[in-house]
Every structure is written in structure tokens, then in C-alpha cells.
Amino acid sequence: MKDTLPYRWYTDADVLARERGLLFEHSWQYAGHVGQLADSGSYFTVRVGEIPLVVLRDKEGGLRAFVNVCRHRGAEVVSGEGRCTTLQCHYHAWTYGLDGCLRAAPRSEADPDFDREALGLRPAQVHSWGPFVFVNADADAAPLSETLAELPALVRHRGIDVDELAFHSRYSYSLDANWKVAVENYLECYHCPVAHPWFSDVVDVSPDAYRLDSHPTFASHYAPARNGRSEGQFHLIWPNIKVNVMPGPANLSIGPLLPVDPGRTDGILDYFFAPDADPAWIADYLELDFQVGAEDRVLVESVQRGLRSGAFEHGRLMLPSEELIGEFQRWVSGRLDDQTPSRGIASSQDLE
Ligand code: FES
Ligand SMILES: [Fe+2]
């Protein structure tokens, strides 16, 4: 695939609606970290595609996730995060146990046909990799281990024991760009020598040293540190989860890019370090990371204005430096095409 996806796919609300339904609502999504679910009854809410979920720790200490939509008239049962003994809907106080069963519904004794058993919360899937909590809104989706595949081993091989990492902070941001523009920017370092001078001082971004690799469920970059002592790893779990390991002492940041509308994307990055990491080193690390993020914002927002202009139907990838973008585009177009052959999206044949 040498052409990019059609530029219309980056601006069209209809395409985004299908992406939400066909890509996001069936894929494993990073939701948060186990520190948010330390005690029985701890919970937080997330949205996957259009589906609100609540993730919690139950009375037996297990992780559970449910679709956070009340079986009464559809309110989101709980919001934000916190700790509770039951999940009580804020509209008419239908009350669900931490196992999702409906325990009480005010005035239900007056309705002889009321079947409490049939009105529990719908389960979703939740699973953790070290401290990282993933959810899947599709209760029938294949397990998280199939999506992560060799990724945990690759991170371990880099010398990082994810179970030893401590949560440091969450960074939330918003971009005026389509989520795919942000993903594609993440998937190539062709722009690094031009746009990221500081980053390019730290890692060797020359095509001979910087390695790209793709897997069925994720894509990886490997960047040797210029001091020769360490390696950076940058993985993207299809379609939208970043996993970053910078050169140096144990570190990892992870988080999704989440479409808000066709021209706007929210992002979260949760930062983890070794518990005894040097605060001065962390401060330098974050300064570099935020610098790169600020440089990337300028790029992706500029791209979005260019795509939106209507000046061209599509662009042209530079291979092999941008081969992971090609993989991503095949992954996206394959899923949209397979499921909706007649919805007016250009077929993948148009993209060869
Ligand atoms: S919508 Fe939840 S109790 Fe009425
Ligand atoms: Fe970048």
C-alpha cells in the first residue's frame, strides 16, 4: 500500500461511527491501572467507542467490568471514580451488586411481573498485564493474551519487569486532529530528524539504526540510545494504544488515543517508573517527553488542516520508513471493508 487512506476517512463522521463500532468496541483498550482498584469496591468509569464501562474490584478481590448502562431507562449507573459497596443508579436508585446482579429496585414489589434476575448489568471483559488494566466491551472477544502476544516478552527483554513499576502520573491531552492522523504520526520516525531535534540527540533515528517491526496485533519501533547503553521501544497495540519505553532506567508509559469527533482526539498517558527512580531523572524524562508531544501536536494539527482542505484525495507513503503506517491502514481498512461492504467506503483494492 503506497497511497494513504482516502483523506475523507479522516474528516467524515460516518467513517468515525463505523470505526467506533467495528474497531474500538471489539478491541482490548487500556483503561487504567491497578492502583485505581486497590480495594474491594474501588471503581472507575471509561468509554470504549460509544460504550460506557465501569471497572471495579469485587468483594472477592477480582477485577470486573460491566457496561455502565442502567437496565431501567438507560442512565449511566455511576460516573467518575471512587469506592462503593453497591452500584446505585443516580436516576431512580436501582441498585446493583459488585457482581452486576440487580439487588433492589424501589417500588418493584408493586409490579408482579418484575424479574430482578433478568435485569443485571451486562458484563464486559477486564484483564491486567502487570499494573495495566485492559477492558474489552465485547464479552465474546478473544482474550487479552492474544492481543498482547509477544509484547510482554519484548518489554521484559528490554529489562523491564512491569510488576515492579510504580504509577507516577497521568497526562491527559487533546489534539485537533483525527485519531488516525495521531496514530500514523506515532508509527513513523521519518519525521524525527526534522521535527524532534532533542529526541534525535538522545536516540539514533537514522534508518540504519532505527528498526520497525510489525505483528498481527501491534507494531513496534526500536531506537538505540546514542550513548550505546540502552534502547527505546515504542509499540502501538492496534488500533490506538501506545506503549513507550525510553532508553535508561526502568520506565514505561501507556495510554490510548480516543476519538472525540472526526477532527478531535483525546489522549491519556499513564507514566510508570521504578519505585526508586531518581526524581531528577524523571523530571528530565518528562521534559523531553512533553517537548516531543508539543512538537507532534504542531505536526498532526497541521496535517488535519491539510486533509480537511479537500485539495487532494489521498497522499503517498514513503516506504520502507512508513511501512508501519501501511500495516495500520491495512488493519483499519480490512475491518471496515469486511463488515460493511456496501456502506460507501472505498474498498481496500482502491488503496493498493
Ligand atoms: S435509569 Fe437507572 S434507575 Fe432509572
Ligand atoms: Fe513525533
Side-chain angles (χ1 to χ4, degrees):
M1 187 188 284
K2 294 201 166 81
D3 287 345
T4 67
L5 295 176
Y7 284 169
R8 189 172 57 80
W9 289 28
Y10 299 80
T11 56
D12 186 317
D14 220 38
V15 172
L16 178 57
R18 286 208 289 292
E19 289 169 341
R20 283 196 171 111
L22 296 170
L23 310 183
F24 290 85
E25 292 173 5
H26 301 280
S27 60
W28 283 94
Q29 293 289 316
Y30 177 77
H33 62 95
V34 291
Q36 294 173 276
L37 300 169
D39 306 304
S40 130
S42 311
Y43 72 90
F44 62 83
T45 56
V46 287
R47 186 174 299 273
V48 170
E50 291 290 358
I51 304 178
L53 299 179
V54 55
V55 188
L56 59 83
R57 188 163 302 274
D58 67 17
K59 293 207 166 82
E60 291 72 43
L63 295 179
R64 297 213 190 212
F66 300 100
V67 175
N68 184 27
V69 175
C70 185
R71 297 297 304 274
H72 176 215
R73 296 222 335 271
E76 291 162 309
V77 179
V78 290
S79 56
E81 59 184 308
R83 195 167 170 205
C84 60
T85 50
T86 58
L87 299 168
Q88 186 173 75
C89 181
H90 63 121
Y91 200 169
H92 313 88
W94 283 30
T95 303
Y96 303 87
L98 300 182
D99 57 0
C101 294
L102 180 61
R103 299 263 183 251
R107 307 188 197 180
S108 58
E109 32 331 316
D111 178 350
D113 297 331
F114 191 78
D115 182 3
R116 201 158 51 83
E117 310 265 299
L119 292 168
L121 294 176
R122 185 199 288 175
Q125 295 196 66
V126 57
H127 209 84
S128 56
W129 163 34
F132 318 128
V133 177
F134 287 78
V135 292
N136 196 315
D138 179 354
D140 299 321
L144 176 65
S145 56
E146 280 189 27
T147 290
L148 295 181
E150 314 92 298
L151 182 56
L154 292 168
V155 170
R156 206 177 315 120
H157 186 69
R158 158 67 178 74
I160 292 178
D161 177 353
V162 293
D163 290 309
E164 293 290 309
L165 293 174
F167 174 75
H168 177 273
S169 53
R170 170 169 291 186
Y171 176 63
S172 302
Y173 57 99
S174 231
L175 302 166
D176 284 328
N178 184 270
W179 72 276
K180 298 190 294 301
V181 171
V183 167
E184 290 167 4
N185 176 67
Y186 182 83
L187 286 174
E188 52 91 357
C189 208
Y190 182 29
H191 70 277
C192 294
V194 185
H196 300 311
W198 185 5
F199 178 79
S200 303
D201 272 353
V202 175
V203 304
D204 187 346
V205 296
S206 64
D208 295 338
Y210 197 98
R211 201 156 56 79
L212 307 176
D213 200 7
S214 66
H215 307 258
T217 53
F218 65 98
S220 305
H221 315 212
Y222 302 93
R226 287 204 188 268
N227 65 16
R229 288 204 293 272
S230 187
E231 177 191 67
Q233 295 187 352
F234 308 97
H235 308 281
L236 188 100
I237 304 170
W238 302 141
N240 67 322
I241 313 291
K242 300 177 181 183
V243 180
N244 307 295
V245 177
M246 290 290 277
N251 71 90
L252 189 147
S253 63
I254 182 168
L257 286 156
L258 297 166
V260 177
D261 61 39
R264 194 160 179 84
T265 300
D266 284 346
I268 288 171
L269 266 187
D270 280 351
Y271 288 92
F272 297 80
F273 299 98
D276 58 354
D278 175 5
W281 181 80
I282 292 177
D284 282 353
Y285 169 111
L286 292 175
E287 193 183 347
L288 170 58
D289 224 47
F290 294 155
Q291 174 68 29
V292 171
E295 290 161 352
D296 280 328
R297 168 189 298 283
V298 172
L299 303 176
V300 300
E301 293 187 348
S302 166
V303 168
Q304 188 69 21
R305 290 190 295 274
L307 304 189
R308 201 174 55 206
S309 72
F312 298 100
E313 309 252 311
H314 59 77
R316 205 294 191 178
L317 296 179
M318 178 58 76
L319 302 176
S321 293
E322 294 180 327
E323 65 189 28
L324 298 184
I325 298 182
E327 291 294 328
F328 171 69
Q329 298 190 343
R330 262 188 289 278
W331 193 94
V332 169
S333 57
R335 271 156 188 76
L336 298 189
D337 277 354
D338 282 355
Q339 303 294 321
T340 55
S342 58
R343 289 302 246 340
I345 281 191
S347 78
S348 54
Q349 283 81 5
D350 297 340
L351 305 168
E352 298 301 325

